[in-house]
Amino acid sequence: QVQLVESGGGLVQAGGSLRLSCAASGSIFGVNPMGWYRQAPGKQRELVAGITSSGRTNYADSVKGRFTISRDNGKNTVYLQMNGLKPEDTAVYYCYADYAGVRYWGKGTLVTVSS
């Protein structure tokens, strides 16, 4: 079992920045990859960014150049640095982690970007 706890969401003005964190606990040896999805009101959940334990990353086109994903394997934590936030980035952000063929999810953290 893997438990994921997100933090760092909140309200920010357009152009501002936020940093999300997601800490994994439990049977976490070999958790790979980890990352973030988001779901805006009335829309499907979409991938934002992912990162493997070796540091290989992938991003949605809509966030490339603005968001940066990183992870601390020693702390089993993944981060999402979000800069240049836009109102369309408003969503609930969910952390995920893959372990032993199962995808685990956090409960989500709300990011609201005002115009």
Side-chain angles (χ1 to χ4, degrees):
Q1 290 290 329
V2 176
Q3 293 82 45
L4 302 173
V5 178
E6 302 115 329
S7 61
L11 174 64
V12 64
Q13 289 187 333
S17 299
L18 283 174
R19 188 192 194 208
L20 306 183
S21 300
C22 173
S25 61
S27 303
I28 53 178
F29 181 77
V31 171
N32 183 40
M34 298 180 72
W36 298 88
Y37 276 70
R38 68 185 180 187
Q39 187 165 19
K43 294 187 177 181
Q44 290 188 332
R45 192 174 293 191
E46 63 175 358
L47 175 68
V48 177
I51 185 168
T52 67
S53 57
S54 61
R56 187 167 59 186
T57 61
N58 63 291
Y59 295 92
D61 288 342
S62 59
V63 306
K64 284 181 181 177
R66 299 187 298 122
F67 291 10
T68 302
I69 190 170
S70 60
R71 69 188 281 173
D72 184 332
N73 290 328
K75 295 181 179 180
N76 295 302
T77 300
V78 63
Y79 305 95
L80 186 67
Q81 178 66 43
M82 306 185 293
N83 299 328
L85 282 161
K86 304 175 181 179
E88 51 263 43
D89 295 317
T90 295
V92 177
Y93 285 70
Y94 297 92
C95 173
Y96 74 88
D98 292 346
Y99 177 70
V102 177
R103 174 155 289 184
Y104 294 87
W105 295 94
K107 293 183 178 181
T109 185
L110 177 63
V111 172
T112 303
V113 184
S114 63
S115 57

